[in-house]
Amino acid sequence: MNEWLTPIMWIGGIGAFCGGALALAAYYLSVPEDPRIEQVTNELPGANCGGCGFAGCADYAKALVENKTSPDRCPVASSAAVQAIGALLGKAVVASGRKVALVLCGGCNTEAIRHFSYNGITDCAAAAAIAGGDKACSFGCLGYGSCLRVCPVNCITMVDGVAKIDSSACIGCGKCVAACPRNLIQLVPEEAKIHVLCSSRDKGSVVRKVCGVGCIGCRICVKLSDGAISMDGFLAKVDYTKPPLTNEELVEKCPGKCIRKVG
Amino acid sequence: MEYVLLIIGAVLVNNFVLNRFLGICPFLGVSKQMSTAIGMSGAVIFVMGMAAAVTWCIQDWLLAPLNLEYLQTTAFILLIAAFVQLVDIVMKRFLPALHGALGIFLPLITTNCAVLGVAVMNVQNESSLGISVLFSVAAAVGFAFALIIFAGLREKIERANPPRAFRGVAIALVTAGLLSLSFMGFSGLVK
């Protein structure tokens, strides 16, 4: 055999042998994947937001089929989709209901005082680092849009210096919750419409000085709400585990004008 | 004693990553988290040991008798790549637990220079099959050692606050350099 044919033959032979072995192995040793994984993936919203704690919808679907988690972990899926997944997996599911993000501050520029003029970079964390932020209320929304820059569906807008979240577009992924340096954003049930739009833990007298729409801790709402609103220090808080509030009297009677109907 | 020296030499003195600069891509690529670094380390140890055995066989039984040593690199890459794929398929079928731990790292190291390097080095040293496998596993342990130390450092750096120009890859490369420098201190420990 001549000196160029031999190497071609041998290397070609090794390649053909390896290729054949791999083809046979792939054919005979293949592991069938559970077809339900694909079906469940199709039912999920496909936003790949990571809100469930898994690396995307397909990963979550795999964990669901392998029975490692429960179908109500997805914050985006509608209750119908969650029920459909439950049916595919043969499980009874109590849908947790869609949750949307809400900014618990109503202190817009016309109501809340800014006690100095901030002209640094437009980022809430940066603004908060300089003398506690330009907003006189140390709990208020700074309005520099750290939340709207992380929103994957662009449903946050700045309205008069306060972030507003469009609850119909919000997918409830919770990225803005983590982005807010003042922890003003909370995931609340979509059905809940009446909220306390204030996060200030200051005393009523302090709140009054810096904001026209802050909670002054008067407790009127606690008496009217039948236990669905409770006091946490000087701040009224809605208990979202209870059925949603419907009593519009709360909105009318709040002297701080911080209880409002949203959406 | 000879074996102990061989192992110490491969793990510390002539560390694959930090002294010979082989396998730098996974060293920088998968060292961001300790958990992935450990998975990758396991996969590298496994593949390097196996690849050494396979390449030794092909070298001694096929290439040397046919005077085809100049085809070493081609043949080794071909064989290692095919072999790793085969191991991947077989492991998925019969050892799903091990596949779950190492699976995603296996395809990453099919054409890793450290794997090829150790195979070529075994040929250069003209070592026997047993010594080849032992040296390869020791070299892979050295790789794992460096990778895990580096992952630990990077996890700390992630939380630190380096100057802006150094953030990310830059500080990682500086750290890798310093780590390499410290491993140079082992030189002379074993001839």
Side-chain angles (χ1 to χ4, degrees), chain B residues 144-156:
Chain B
F145 191 49
L147 187 64
I148 288 169
I149 291 177
F150 192 51
L153 287 171
R154 275 186 90 169
E155 279 192 346
K156 289 257 192 277

Side-chain angles (χ1 to χ4, degrees), chain A:
Chain A
M1 250 189 271
N2 61 38
E3 61 189 38
W4 57 269
L5 196 60
T6 317
I8 291 176
M9 274 178 56
W10 277 107
I11 290 292
I14 296 172
F17 175 75
C18 291
L22 279 180
L24 286 177
Y27 184 76
Y28 286 107
L29 299 177
S30 65
V31 182
E33 204 175 56
D34 198 322
R36 288 181 304 171
I37 293 177
E38 206 188 324
Q39 289 170 338
V40 173
T41 313
N42 290 339
E43 287 295 337
L44 288 168
N48 287 320
C49 67
C52 52
F54 291 87
C57 293
D59 202 34
Y60 180 52
K62 193 160 173 277
L64 276 174
V65 172
E66 286 165 4
N67 214 355
K68 284 183 187 156
T69 183
S70 58
D72 54 5
R73 292 282 295 275
C74 180
V76 187
S78 63
S79 57
V82 174
Q83 294 295 345
I85 293 167
L88 273 171
L89 301 174
K91 275 192 205 168
V93 190
V94 184
S96 65
R98 202 169 82 97
K99 287 199 167 187
V100 292
L102 178 74
V103 182
L104 293 180
C105 175
C108 53
N109 283 340
T110 43
E111 297 285 356
I113 298 165
R114 289 186 188 261
H115 58 171
F116 63 87
S117 166
Y118 172 80
N119 56 9
I121 51 172
T122 25
D123 179 81
C124 299
I130 293 175
D134 56 343
K135 206 142 202 170
C137 172
S138 53
F139 298 92
C141 173
L142 290 158
Y144 293 106
S146 289
C147 49
L148 71 87
R149 280 188 289 279
V150 296
C151 181
V153 292
N154 294 326
C155 69
I156 308 182
T157 45
M158 279 298 151
V159 182
D160 196 18
V162 172
K164 287 267 179 302
I165 297 173
D166 178 1
S167 59
S168 61
C170 176
I171 58 169
C173 67
K175 283 189 176 153
C176 52
V177 177
C180 180
R182 300 215 141 154
N183 297 321
L184 293 176
I185 307 180
Q186 202 184 336
L187 290 176
V188 300
E190 193 192 14
E191 306 83 50
K193 296 293 178 203
I194 293 176
H195 308 281
V196 179
L197 290 188
C198 181
S199 301
S200 173
R201 292 170 174 281
D202 282 331
K203 280 187 199 166
S205 56
V206 180
V207 175
R208 275 233 164 106
K209 276 181 196 141
V210 294
C211 184
V213 287
C215 174
I216 54 171
C218 66
R219 297 171 166 266
I220 288 175
C221 54
V222 178
K223 288 177 200 125
L224 285 172
S225 69
D226 215 18
I229 298 182
S230 58
M231 294 304 291
D232 182 11
F234 296 106
L235 177 63
K237 282 203 162 172
V238 179
D239 183 355
Y240 290 108
T241 57
K242 300 229 161 92
L245 288 164
T246 47
N247 190 356
E248 306 232 347
E249 207 184 354
L250 286 166
V251 182
E252 290 153 24
K253 293 229 168 130
C254 176
K257 298 194 284 293
C258 64
I259 298 186
R260 281 193 242 165
K261 197 170 179 187
V262 177

Side-chain angles (χ1 to χ4, degrees), chain B residues 77-134:
Chain B
I77 287 184
L78 182 64
L79 215 65
I80 293 169
F83 176 73
V84 174
Q85 291 296 322
L86 192 67
V87 168
D88 188 51
I89 293 168
V90 173
M91 203 191 259
K92 197 172 183 182
R93 180 78 161 83
F94 296 108
L95 301 163
L98 193 61
H99 187 265
L102 305 182
I104 50 166
F105 302 108
L106 281 176
L108 285 177
I109 36 179
T110 44
T111 49
N112 186 322
C113 45
V115 180
L116 184 67
V118 80
V120 173
M121 244 175 249
N122 282 330
V123 175
Q124 280 167 0
N125 295 342
E126 296 176 346
S127 33
S128 67
L129 178 59
I131 295 286
S132 290
V133 174
L134 183 68

Side-chain angles (χ1 to χ4, degrees), chain B:
Chain B
M1 197 61 202
E2 188 196 337
Y3 299 132
V4 177
L5 286 181
L6 183 79
I7 293 170
I8 292 175
V11 174
L12 293 178
V13 184
N14 290 315
N15 188 291
F16 255 56
V17 183
L18 300 170
N19 274 44
R20 293 190 205 260
F21 307 115
L22 288 167
I24 295 291
C25 27
F27 181 63
L28 289 171
V30 290
S31 58
K32 276 193 186 144
Q33 275 176 11
M34 189 56 94
S35 53
T36 49
I38 290 170
M40 183 69 177
S41 301
V44 167
I45 295 173
F46 183 78
V47 169
M48 264 162 93
M50 294 293 215
V54 176
T55 50
W56 188 91
C57 295
I58 201 90
Q59 170 71 22
D60 252 49
W61 297 345
L62 196 71
L63 299 182
L66 290 165
N67 291 323
L68 291 177
E69 279 97 342
Y70 60 91
L71 284 175
Q72 212 180 52
T73 313
T74 321
F76 283 5
I77 287 184
L78 182 64
L79 215 65
I80 293 169
F83 176 73
V84 174
Q85 291 296 322
L86 192 67
V87 168
D88 188 51
I89 293 168
V90 173
M91 203 191 259
K92 197 172 183 182
R93 180 78 161 83
F94 296 108
L95 301 163
L98 193 61
H99 187 265
L102 305 182
I104 50 166
F105 302 108
L106 281 176
L108 285 177
I109 36 179
T110 44
T111 49
N112 186 322
C113 45
V115 180
L116 184 67
V118 80
V120 173
M121 244 175 249
N122 282 330
V123 175
Q124 280 167 0
N125 295 342
E126 296 176 346
S127 33
S128 67
L129 178 59
I131 295 286
S132 290
V133 174
L134 183 68
F135 175 72
S136 307
V137 171
V141 169
F143 175 88
F145 191 49
L147 187 64
I148 288 169
I149 291 177
F150 192 51
L153 287 171
R154 275 186 90 169
E155 279 192 346
K156 289 257 192 277
I157 291 169
E158 200 68 22
R159 281 183 229 116
N161 190 18
R164 178 173 282 199
F166 278 101
R167 272 174 212 167
V169 184
I171 192 81
L173 286 169
V174 172
T175 317
L178 290 174
L179 190 57
S180 170
L181 207 59
S182 62
F183 263 69
M184 297 284 180
F186 287 116
S187 63
L189 194 67
V190 179
K191 274 203 299 222

